[in-house]
């Protein structure tokens, strides 16, 4: 199956398919279909798909991106929540032996094993999907996000956009900003600009912290009070979580170069120092008990 020759061919395909299915794109479901063939070609080229790759697409829609991938990869999975669109994808590509539709909410269904994820995400699930992707092993993701959301990947410590997401994505991956995409590239056009981003998952030997689960719980705990001073969050957490005063609250909070800082000003390296230092002072078992209960 050939990919799109022009944007007008792609746009006609989208309009005709919507008419055939008698559906109106739902804003609630983030149904803004990409109708710019140059962007689709660019996105697929960035993924550098080989015949060994297993591709995951989240939100297949009418298959406008699917069509440009399915014949290049060893296997392709598409997750689509809208049953009508999922059936349409199955009818259109289901006869291709390497293709599988997973009907359901991508936040809830189990992801299959994959090497690359290429998706024009429904923006309302950007955050849970990004955190979910980061818990999986993969090589590369080429993803379309709302621009404001994507900017958080590149935010500097101390800036307004710096968040738990900024820390976690840069802990686990290397991100590259690829392109800003205008609303007119979609049908219907969304009210906001979009961004294409490449996310390369770090390999084991590139890991910044040994205990990623514990560190992630620590970051969740701190960033739920990101404007506060480190000492105040740690002190109330330690006091609340451990009743006996044998706990090393004072040791943990003794003057330290980072305890007086506001949480959102700490870089990943500083957060890792703080985490490892507290773990050492408090003791591994008690520390993991405290943060696993605090981050819930
Ligand atoms: N892949 C198409 C494209 O590139 O034009 C469609 C992308 S459109 C931005 C997002 C798609 O995600 C829609 O088809 C929508 O039905 C689907 N969707 C919305 N919420 C979803 C969810 N929670 N899980 C899976 N798919 C979802």
């Amino acid at each position: 199956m050939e990919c799109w020759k022009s944007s007008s061919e792609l746009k006609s395909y989208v309009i005709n398919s919507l008419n055939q299915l008698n559906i109106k794109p739902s804003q609630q479901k983030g149904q803004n279909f990409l109708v710019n063939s140059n962007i689709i070609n660019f996105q697929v080229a960035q993924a550098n798909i080989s015949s060994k790759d297993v591709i995951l697409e989240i939100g297949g829609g009418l298959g406008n991106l699917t069509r440009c991938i399915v014949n290049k990869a060893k296997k392709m999975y598409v997750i689509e929540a809208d049953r009508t669109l999922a059936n349409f994808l199955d009818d259109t590509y289901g006869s291709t032996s390497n293709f599988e539709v997973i009907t359901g909410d991508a936040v809830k269904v189990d992801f299959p094993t994959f090497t690359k994820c290429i998706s024009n995400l429904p923006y309302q699930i950007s955050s849970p999907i990004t955190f979910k992707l980061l818990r999986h092993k993969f090589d590369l993701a080429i993803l379309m996000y709302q621009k404001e959301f994507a900017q958080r990947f590149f935010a500097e410590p101390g800036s307004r956009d710096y968040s738990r997401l900024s820390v976690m994505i840069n802990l686990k991956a290397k991100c590259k900003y690829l392109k800003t995409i205008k609303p007119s590239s979609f049908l219907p056009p969304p009210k906001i600009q979009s961004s294409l981003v490449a996310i390369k998952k770090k390999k084991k030997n590139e890991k910044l912290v040994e205990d990623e689960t514990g560190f992630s719980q620590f970051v969740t705990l701190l960033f739920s009070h990101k404007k506060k001073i480190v000492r105040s969050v740690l002190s109330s957490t330690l006091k609340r979580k451990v009743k006996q005063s044998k706990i090393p609250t004072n040791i943990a909070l003794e003057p330290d170069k980072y305890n007086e800082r506001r949480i959102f000003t700490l870089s990943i390296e500083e957060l890792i120092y703080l985490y490892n230092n507290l773990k050492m002072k408090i003791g591994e078992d008690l520390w993991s008990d405290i943060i696993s209960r605090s981050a819930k």
Side-chain angles (χ1 to χ4, degrees), residues 10 14 26-35 40 43 57-66 78-83 85-86 89 102-109 118-125 129 144 185-187:
L10 169 56
V14 168
S26 152
Q27 199 181 349
Q28 215 185 357
K29 291 179 187 158
Q31 289 174 344
N32 303 94
F33 302 101
L34 194 50
V35 288
I40 291 197
Q43 191 170 8
E57 185 189 356
I58 297 164
L62 295 161
N64 26 343
L65 179 60
T66 318
V78 177
I79 306 177
E80 175 54 61
D82 184 316
R83 193 162 284 280
L85 294 179
L89 287 164
I102 301 168
T103 308
D105 178 351
V107 177
K108 295 188 184 141
V109 298
I118 314 172
S119 306
N120 295 323
L121 292 172
Y123 296 149
Q124 63 278 17
I125 59 167
I129 286 298
M144 181 88 74
S185 295
F186 299 89
L187 188 96

Coordinates of all heavy atoms in Angstrom, one line a residue, residues 10 14 26-35 40 43 57-66 78-83 85-86 89 102-109 118-125 129 144 185-187, ligand 1:
L10 N -4.7 13.2 0.9 CA -4.9 12.8 2.3 C -6.1 13.4 2.9 O -6.9 12.8 3.6 CB -3.6 13.3 3.1 CG -3.6 13.2 4.6 CD1 -4.0 11.8 5.2 CD2 -2.3 13.6 5.2
V14 N -9.6 11.6 4.4 CA -10.1 11.9 5.8 C -11.6 12.3 5.7 O -12.5 11.7 6.3 CB -9.3 12.9 6.5 CG1 -10.0 13.4 7.8 CG2 -7.9 12.4 6.9
S26 N -14.9 14.1 17.3 CA -15.2 14.5 18.6 C -14.0 15.3 19.3 O -12.9 14.7 19.4 CB -15.6 13.3 19.4 OG -15.3 13.4 20.8
Q27 N -14.3 16.5 19.8 CA -13.3 17.3 20.4 C -12.9 16.6 21.7 O -11.7 16.5 22.1 CB -13.9 18.7 20.7 CG -12.8 19.7 21.0 CD -13.4 21.0 21.3 OE1 -14.6 21.3 21.1 NE2 -12.6 21.9 21.8
Q28 N -13.9 16.0 22.4 CA -13.6 15.4 23.7 C -12.6 14.2 23.5 O -11.8 13.9 24.4 CB -15.0 14.8 24.2 CG -15.1 14.9 25.7 CD -16.4 14.2 26.1 OE1 -17.2 13.8 25.2 NE2 -16.6 14.1 27.4
K29 N -12.7 13.5 22.4 CA -11.8 12.4 22.1 C -10.5 12.8 21.4 O -9.7 12.0 21.0 CB -12.5 11.3 21.3 CG -13.6 10.6 22.0 CD -14.3 9.6 21.1 CE -15.5 9.0 21.8 NZ -16.4 8.4 20.8
G30 N -10.3 14.1 21.2 CA -9.1 14.6 20.6 C -9.0 14.2 19.1 O -7.9 13.9 18.6
Q31 N -10.2 14.2 18.5 CA -10.2 13.7 17.1 C -9.8 14.8 16.1 O -10.7 15.3 15.4 CB -11.5 13.0 16.7 CG -11.6 11.6 17.5 CD -12.9 10.9 17.3 OE1 -13.9 11.5 16.9 NE2 -12.9 9.7 17.7
N32 N -8.6 15.2 16.0 CA -8.1 16.2 15.1 C -7.2 15.4 14.1 O -6.1 15.0 14.6 CB -7.3 17.3 15.7 CG -8.2 18.0 16.8 OD1 -8.2 17.7 18.0 ND2 -9.0 18.9 16.3
F33 N -7.6 15.1 12.9 CA -6.9 14.3 12.0 C -5.8 15.0 11.3 O -6.1 16.1 10.7 CB -7.8 13.5 11.1 CG -8.9 12.7 11.9 CD1 -10.1 13.2 12.1 CD2 -8.5 11.5 12.5 CE1 -11.1 12.5 12.8 CE2 -9.4 10.8 13.2 CZ -10.7 11.3 13.4
L34 N -4.6 14.5 11.2 CA -3.5 15.1 10.5 C -3.8 15.0 8.9 O -3.9 13.9 8.4 CB -2.2 14.4 10.8 CG -0.9 15.1 10.5 CD1 -0.9 16.6 11.0 CD2 0.2 14.4 11.2
V35 N -3.8 16.2 8.3 CA -4.1 16.2 6.8 C -3.0 16.8 6.0 O -3.2 17.2 4.9 CB -5.5 16.9 6.5 CG1 -6.6 16.1 7.0 CG2 -5.5 18.3 7.2
I40 N 3.3 14.0 7.9 CA 3.3 12.6 8.1 C 4.6 12.0 7.6 O 5.2 11.1 8.2 CB 2.0 12.0 7.5 CG1 0.8 12.4 8.2 CG2 2.1 10.4 7.4 CD1 -0.5 11.6 8.0
Q43 N 7.4 12.7 10.0 CA 7.2 12.0 11.2 C 7.7 10.5 11.0 O 8.5 10.0 11.8 CB 5.7 12.0 11.6 CG 5.5 11.5 13.0 CD 4.0 11.8 13.4 OE1 3.2 12.2 12.6 NE2 3.7 11.5 14.7
E57 N 1.2 2.5 17.7 CA 0.6 3.8 17.5 C -0.6 3.9 18.4 O -1.4 3.0 18.6 CB 0.1 3.9 16.0 CG -0.5 5.3 15.7 CD -1.2 5.4 14.4 OE1 -1.2 4.5 13.6 OE2 -1.8 6.5 14.2
I58 N -0.7 5.1 19.1 CA -1.7 5.3 20.1 C -2.7 6.3 19.4 O -2.3 7.4 19.0 CB -1.2 5.9 21.4 CG1 -0.2 4.8 22.0 CG2 -2.3 6.3 22.3 CD1 0.7 5.4 23.1
G59 N -4.0 5.9 19.3 CA -5.0 6.7 18.6 C -4.8 6.7 17.1 O -4.4 7.6 16.5
G60 N -5.2 5.5 16.5 CA -5.0 5.3 15.1 C -5.9 6.1 14.2 O -5.6 6.4 13.1
G61 N -7.1 6.5 14.8 CA -8.0 7.3 14.0 C -8.5 6.6 12.8 O -8.9 5.5 12.7
L62 N -8.3 7.3 11.6 CA -8.7 6.8 10.3 C -7.6 6.1 9.6 O -7.7 5.7 8.5 CB -9.3 8.0 9.5 CG -10.5 8.6 10.0 CD1 -10.7 10.0 9.4 CD2 -11.8 7.7 9.8
G63 N -6.5 6.0 10.3 CA -5.3 5.3 9.7 C -4.5 6.1 8.8 O -3.7 5.5 8.1
N64 N -4.6 7.4 8.9 CA -3.8 8.2 7.9 C -2.3 8.1 8.2 O -1.5 8.2 7.3 CB -4.2 9.7 7.9 CG -4.9 10.2 9.2 OD1 -5.3 9.3 10.0 ND2 -4.9 11.4 9.4
L65 N -1.9 7.9 9.5 CA -0.5 7.6 9.8 C -0.1 6.1 9.7 O 0.9 5.8 9.1 CB -0.2 8.2 11.2 CG 1.2 8.0 11.8 CD1 2.2 8.8 11.0 CD2 1.2 8.6 13.3
T66 N -1.1 5.3 10.1 CA -0.9 3.9 10.1 C -0.5 3.4 8.7 O 0.4 2.6 8.6 CB -2.3 3.2 10.4 OG1 -2.9 3.9 11.5 CG2 -2.2 1.8 10.7
V78 N -2.0 -0.9 16.8 CA -2.7 0.4 17.0 C -3.7 0.3 18.1 O -4.5 -0.6 18.1 CB -3.4 0.8 15.6 CG1 -4.1 2.1 15.8 CG2 -2.4 0.9 14.5
I79 N -3.6 1.2 19.0 CA -4.6 1.3 20.1 C -5.6 2.4 19.7 O -5.2 3.6 19.4 CB -4.0 1.6 21.4 CG1 -2.9 0.6 21.8 CG2 -5.1 1.6 22.5 CD1 -2.2 0.8 23.1
E80 N -6.9 2.1 19.7 CA -7.9 3.1 19.4 C -9.1 2.9 20.3 O -9.6 1.8 20.4 CB -8.3 3.0 17.9 CG -9.4 3.9 17.5 CD -9.2 5.4 17.7 OE1 -8.3 6.0 17.2 OE2 -10.1 6.0 18.5
A81 N -9.5 4.0 21.0 CA -10.6 3.9 22.0 C -12.0 4.0 21.3 O -12.9 3.4 21.9 CB -10.4 5.1 23.0
D82 N -12.0 4.7 20.2 CA -13.4 4.8 19.5 C -13.7 3.5 18.7 O -12.9 3.2 17.8 CB -13.3 6.0 18.6 CG -14.6 6.4 17.9 OD1 -15.3 5.4 17.4 OD2 -14.9 7.6 17.9
R83 N -14.7 2.9 19.2 CA -15.0 1.5 18.6 C -15.3 1.6 17.1 O -14.8 0.7 16.3 CB -16.2 0.9 19.3 CG -16.5 -0.5 19.0 CD -17.4 -1.2 20.0 NE -16.7 -1.4 21.3 CZ -15.9 -2.5 21.5 NH1 -15.7 -3.3 20.6 NH2 -15.3 -2.6 22.7
L85 N -14.0 3.7 14.9 CA -12.7 3.9 14.3 C -11.8 2.6 14.4 O -11.1 2.3 13.4 CB -11.9 5.1 14.8 CG -12.6 6.5 14.6 CD1 -11.8 7.6 15.3 CD2 -12.7 6.8 13.1
A86 N -11.9 2.0 15.5 CA -11.1 0.7 15.7 C -11.6 -0.3 14.6 O -10.8 -1.0 14.0 CB -11.3 0.2 17.1
L89 N -10.3 0.7 11.2 CA -8.9 0.3 11.1 C -8.7 -1.2 10.8 O -7.9 -1.6 10.0 CB -8.1 0.7 12.3 CG -7.9 2.2 12.6 CD1 -7.5 2.5 14.0 CD2 -6.8 2.7 11.6
I102 N -5.9 -2.8 18.8 CA -6.3 -3.0 20.2 C -7.4 -2.0 20.5 O -7.1 -0.8 20.5 CB -5.1 -2.9 21.2 CG1 -4.0 -3.9 20.8 CG2 -5.5 -3.0 22.7 CD1 -2.7 -3.6 21.5
T103 N -8.6 -2.5 20.7 CA -9.7 -1.5 21.0 C -9.8 -1.2 22.5 O -9.9 -2.1 23.3 CB -11.0 -2.1 20.5 OG1 -10.9 -2.5 19.1 CG2 -12.1 -1.1 20.6
G104 N -9.6 0.1 22.8 CA -9.7 0.4 24.2 C -8.9 1.7 24.5 O -8.3 2.3 23.6
D105 N -9.0 2.1 25.8 CA -8.4 3.3 26.3 C -6.9 3.0 26.5 O -6.5 2.2 27.3 CB -9.1 3.7 27.6 CG -8.5 4.9 28.2 OD1 -7.4 5.4 27.8 OD2 -9.1 5.4 29.2
A106 N -6.1 3.8 25.8 CA -4.6 3.5 25.8 C -4.0 3.7 27.2 O -3.0 3.2 27.6 CB -3.9 4.4 24.8
V107 N -4.7 4.5 28.1 CA -4.3 4.7 29.4 C -4.4 3.4 30.2 O -3.7 3.1 31.1 CB -5.0 5.9 30.1 CG1 -4.6 6.1 31.5 CG2 -4.8 7.2 29.3
K108 N -5.5 2.7 29.9 CA -5.8 1.5 30.7 C -5.3 0.1 30.1 O -5.0 -0.8 30.9 CB -7.4 1.4 30.9 CG -7.9 2.6 31.7 CD -9.4 2.4 32.0 CE -9.9 3.6 32.7 NZ -11.2 3.9 32.3
V109 N -5.3 0.0 28.8 CA -5.0 -1.3 28.2 C -3.5 -1.6 28.4 O -2.7 -0.6 28.5 CB -5.3 -1.5 26.7 CG1 -6.8 -1.3 26.5 CG2 -4.6 -0.5 25.9
I118 N 5.0 5.7 17.4 CA 4.7 6.8 16.5 C 3.3 7.2 16.7 O 2.4 6.4 16.3 CB 5.1 6.5 15.1 CG1 6.4 5.8 15.0 CG2 5.1 7.8 14.2 CD1 6.7 5.2 13.6
S119 N 3.0 8.4 17.2 CA 1.6 8.7 17.4 C 1.3 10.2 17.4 O 2.2 11.0 17.8 CB 1.2 8.3 18.8 OG 1.5 6.9 19.0
N120 N 0.1 10.5 16.9 CA -0.4 11.9 17.0 C -1.4 11.7 18.2 O -2.5 11.3 18.0 CB -1.1 12.3 15.7 CG 0.0 12.5 14.6 OD1 1.1 12.9 14.9 ND2 -0.4 12.1 13.4
L121 N -0.9 12.0 19.3 CA -1.7 11.7 20.6 C -2.9 12.5 20.7 O -2.9 13.7 20.4 CB -0.8 11.9 21.8 CG 0.4 11.0 22.0 CD1 1.3 11.5 23.1 CD2 -0.1 9.6 22.3
P122 N -4.0 11.9 21.3 CA -5.1 12.7 21.7 C -4.6 13.5 22.9 O -4.1 12.9 23.9 CB -6.2 11.7 22.1 CG -5.5 10.4 22.2 CD -4.2 10.5 21.5
Y123 N -4.6 14.9 22.9 CA -3.9 15.7 23.8 C -4.4 15.5 25.3 O -3.6 15.7 26.2 CB -3.9 17.1 23.4 CG -3.2 17.4 22.1 CD1 -3.6 18.4 21.3 CD2 -2.1 16.5 21.8 CE1 -2.9 18.6 20.1 CE2 -1.4 16.7 20.6 CZ -1.8 17.7 19.7 OH -1.2 17.9 18.5
Q124 N -5.6 15.1 25.5 CA -6.1 15.0 26.9 C -5.5 13.8 27.6 O -5.5 13.8 28.8 CB -7.7 14.9 26.9 CG -8.3 13.7 26.3 CD -8.4 13.8 24.7 OE1 -7.8 14.7 24.1 NE2 -9.3 13.0 24.1
I125 N -4.8 12.9 26.9 CA -4.1 11.8 27.6 C -2.6 11.9 27.5 O -1.9 11.0 27.9 CB -4.6 10.4 27.2 CG1 -4.4 10.2 25.7 CG2 -6.1 10.2 27.6 CD1 -4.6 8.7 25.3
I129 N -0.1 9.1 29.3 CA 0.5 8.2 28.3 C 2.1 8.4 28.3 O 2.8 7.4 28.2 CB 0.0 8.5 26.9 CG1 -1.4 8.0 26.7 CG2 0.9 8.0 25.8 CD1 -1.6 6.4 26.8
M144 N 3.4 13.5 18.7 CA 2.8 14.9 18.5 C 2.1 15.2 19.8 O 1.3 14.4 20.3 CB 1.8 14.8 17.4 CG 1.1 16.1 17.1 SD 2.0 17.1 16.0 CE 1.7 16.3 14.4
S185 N -2.8 22.2 9.9 CA -2.3 20.8 9.4 C -3.3 19.7 9.8 O -3.1 18.6 9.5 CB -0.9 20.5 10.0 OG 0.0 21.4 9.5
F186 N -4.3 20.1 10.6 CA -5.3 19.1 11.1 C -6.7 19.4 10.6 O -7.0 20.6 10.4 CB -5.3 19.1 12.7 CG -4.0 18.8 13.3 CD1 -3.1 19.8 13.6 CD2 -3.7 17.5 13.7 CE1 -1.9 19.5 14.2 CE2 -2.5 17.2 14.3 CZ -1.6 18.1 14.5
L187 N -7.5 18.4 10.6 CA -8.9 18.5 10.4 C -9.7 17.9 11.5 O -9.5 16.7 11.7 CB -9.3 17.9 9.0 CG -10.7 18.2 8.5 CD1 -10.7 19.4 7.6 CD2 -11.3 17.0 7.9
Ligands
LIG1 N1 -3.7 8.9 14.0 C1 -4.6 9.8 13.5 C2 -3.9 11.0 12.8 O1 -2.7 11.0 12.8 O2 -4.6 11.9 12.2 C3 -5.6 10.3 14.5 C4 -5.0 11.1 15.7 S1 -6.2 11.9 16.6 C5 -5.2 13.3 17.2 C6 -6.3 11.0 18.1 C7 -7.0 9.7 18.1 O3 -6.9 9.1 19.4 C8 -8.5 9.7 17.7 O4 -8.7 8.7 16.7 C9 -9.2 9.3 19.0 O5 -10.4 8.6 18.7 C10 -8.2 8.4 19.7 N2 -8.3 8.4 21.1 C11 -8.8 9.4 22.0 N3 -8.7 9.0 23.2 C12 -8.1 7.8 23.2 C13 -7.6 6.9 24.3 N4 -7.8 7.2 25.6 N5 -7.0 5.7 23.9 C14 -6.8 5.5 22.6 N6 -7.2 6.2 21.6 C15 -7.8 7.4 21.9

